Amino acid sequence: MPGQKIVWGIDVGQFALRGLKLRLVGDTAEVLAYDVTEYPQILSQPEVDADALLAEAVEKFVGRNDLRGTEVALGVPGQQTFTRFTKLPPVEPKKIGSIVTYEAQQQIPFDIDEVIWDYQTFQSPDSPEVEVGIFAIRRDLVRKYLSVFTDRGIEPVLVQASPLALYNYLAFDDMPGDGAVVILDIGAQNTDLVVARKDGAWTRNIPLGGNNFTEALVKSFKLSFGKAETLKRTAASSRYARQIFQAMRPVFADLVAEIQRSLGFYNSTHRDVAISKIIGMGNAFKLPGLQKYLQQNLQTEVDRLAGFKKLQLAQGVSAAAFNEGVMSMGVAYGLAVQGLGVGMINNSLLPTEIARAMTWRRKTPWFAGAAAVIAVAAGAMW
């Protein structure tokens, strides 16, 4: 369809760079392409040159994907952003901006000039209260991420934290009508916990991830990190699955304790919200026994993500290969949804000066063309 908007959602993870290329088709989205570029080493490992590995991955991504005529929405790790949620008393909408600016200056633990920040308001139709999410990232950090892409000709139109991208995925794909759903996305270094409901979101970063499971295997079986990582990935089909589970059990227990602490705090501030289930995402959910352990100890239904309801694959896109990595595609999906203009959350951590420069560059060809037409018309008149 000529002129139809197409967006790449690119998720910068600790384990891999993941991209999803989408366009809207009615009330669904079509996957035109996807890409997963694993790093040779996990970015958070000691003595790893994370910047070089990320640059190499972006180089590969650009080399094998066509980005012409598309926009790019970039996702950054949740643990590298600052998030605060606060409730405002009933106020006139025009006053919200100044109140939130004051709150941001008080709560962001850096000089306000050193960060890029934005906010999102949430309001239930039957409540006068306005809940505000304040989100920030250090200016030098977001510029570092952007430079890796801009140096290779990619200019992201927005930058979003991974937990908020997860909310946008669920809001577009399968948001519950009542109550709330918890998204639990276990990454390499951290876990994003998102409480999602149709009229609001709440997030927390848990400092536990796949690396902690791997390190438990290193300690128990006296393996190198690389061999322990391989053992973890093949645990589901291993004849030693039971022993692997026992070795990782303390990490399971720590994860449960952190989830309980997070949900306990959320329930104390949202007493009227009932959580119906937990959606498990990330490759760690392939570990034997994890889903059952969480369900038993949290006393809540835990579903492992098996697919998306509003995504359809374009002709030529391999369903088998896509489904193999679907558990880690939620962030890229949510980024592309926001880029397409149908996200519930629409704030961005893209520096204002960069956004303005990009807008001006896009308009320059139009101005040049208009000037040329005027010049031709003036010459004809003369």
Side-chain angles (χ1 to χ4, degrees):
M1 198 177 293
Q4 188 175 26
K5 192 173 186 179
I6 299 174
V7 176
W8 272 101
I10 301 179
D11 169 25
V12 179
Q14 291 290 307
F15 177 73
L17 186 77
R18 296 181 174 87
L20 198 58
K21 184 180 182 182
L22 299 186
R23 69 177 174 188
L24 289 177
V25 179
D27 62 349
T28 64
E30 184 178 34
V31 179
L32 301 176
Y34 69 94
D35 188 285
V36 178
T37 304
E38 293 186 4
Y39 314 122
Q41 297 170 283
I42 296 172
L43 297 189
S44 56
Q45 283 183 251
E47 300 180 5
V48 166
D49 188 344
D51 294 343
L53 292 184
L54 179 57
E56 182 183 338
V58 174
E59 196 76 49
K60 289 180 180 177
F61 176 84
V62 172
R64 61 192 183 204
N65 292 289
D66 183 9
L67 277 76
R68 291 174 299 177
T70 69
E71 294 186 352
V72 170
L74 182 64
V76 293
Q79 70 267 24
Q80 295 180 345
T81 62
F82 169 86
T83 301
R84 281 290 184 277
F85 291 90
T86 185
K87 289 185 178 181
L88 304 181
V91 294
E92 295 179 38
K94 64 181 181 181
K95 294 183 179 180
I96 290 177
S98 58
I99 295 174
V100 173
T101 299
Y102 174 79
E103 288 290 334
Q105 291 171 336
Q106 299 302 308
Q107 297 195 35
I108 295 175
F110 300 99
D111 188 293
I112 201 71
D113 294 327
E114 295 177 0
V115 300
I116 303 296
W117 72 277
D118 203 348
Y119 70 95
Q120 181 81 28
T121 59
F122 306 97
Q123 187 170 19
S124 173
D126 54 358
S127 171
E129 281 189 330
V130 176
E131 189 166 16
V132 176
I134 300 172
F135 316 107
I137 186 171
R138 290 203 334 263
R139 186 178 290 271
D140 61 326
L141 190 57
V142 73
R143 280 186 170 277
K144 184 179 75 170
Y145 277 116
L146 287 169
S147 67
V148 176
F149 289 86
T150 55
D151 288 349
R152 288 153 186 84
I154 304 174
E155 292 189 326
V157 297
L158 67 92
V159 176
Q160 186 57 277
S162 58
L164 304 184
L166 289 171
Y167 178 85
N168 273 339
Y169 126 68
L170 189 66
F172 177 80
D173 195 82
D174 190 27
M175 180 63 78
D178 297 311
V181 168
V182 174
I183 303 173
L184 198 65
D185 187 10
I186 303 178
Q189 190 176 19
N190 291 262
T191 295
D192 285 331
L193 184 150
V194 182
V195 182
R197 60 187 197 278
K198 64 181 180 180
D199 53 13
W202 184 86
T203 73
R204 184 186 171 226
N205 182 261
I206 296 174
L208 285 171
N211 285 3
N212 297 90
F213 296 110
T214 305
E215 287 163 2
L217 298 180
V218 168
K219 187 180 296 185
S220 294
F221 298 110
K222 312 300 181 187
L223 299 172
S224 67
F225 189 93
K227 289 184 177 179
E229 181 70 20
T230 301
L231 181 63
K232 183 185 73 176
R233 291 199 202 182
T234 58
S237 58
S238 173
R239 59 177 177 170
Y240 301 110
R242 183 177 180 82
Q243 291 93 321
I244 294 171
F245 171 78
Q246 290 300 327
M248 295 187 296
R249 191 182 181 96
V251 185
F252 287 14
D254 289 342
L255 181 60
V256 165
E258 289 290 342
I259 295 170
Q260 288 174 329
R261 185 178 298 116
S262 301
L263 297 184
F265 177 82
Y266 179 80
N267 289 331
S268 70
T269 57
H270 298 78
R271 297 183 184 279
D272 57 336
V273 178
I275 293 172
S276 59
K277 67 176 179 179
I278 296 172
I279 301 174
M281 303 174 64
N283 287 329
F285 263 91
K286 297 178 182 179
L287 291 172
L290 177 58
Q291 180 182 0
K292 182 178 179 182
Y293 185 90
L294 291 176
Q295 187 159 289
Q296 288 177 341
N297 287 274
L298 296 172
Q299 296 295 297
T300 304
E301 179 187 352
V302 179
D303 291 342
R304 196 169 75 172
L305 182 68
F308 300 118
K309 295 186 176 181
K310 288 191 176 181
L311 279 189
Q312 53 181 321
L313 303 183
Q315 188 174 3
V317 177
S318 169
F322 181 78
N323 291 335
E324 180 67 24
V326 75
M327 293 184 68
S328 298
M329 278 292 178
V331 173
Y333 184 5
L335 291 168
V337 163
Q338 181 175 350
L340 288 168
V342 289
M344 290 285 288
I345 289 179
N346 51 40
N347 70 284
S348 173
L349 298 176
L350 182 69
T352 306
E353 63 274 15
I354 293 178
R356 286 175 179 165
M358 288 168 53
T359 301
W360 178 255
R361 281 196 294 274
R362 288 193 180 98
K363 288 181 176 180
T364 299
W366 184 89
F367 286 134
V373 169
I374 293 170
V376 170
M381 291 173 65
W382 176 258

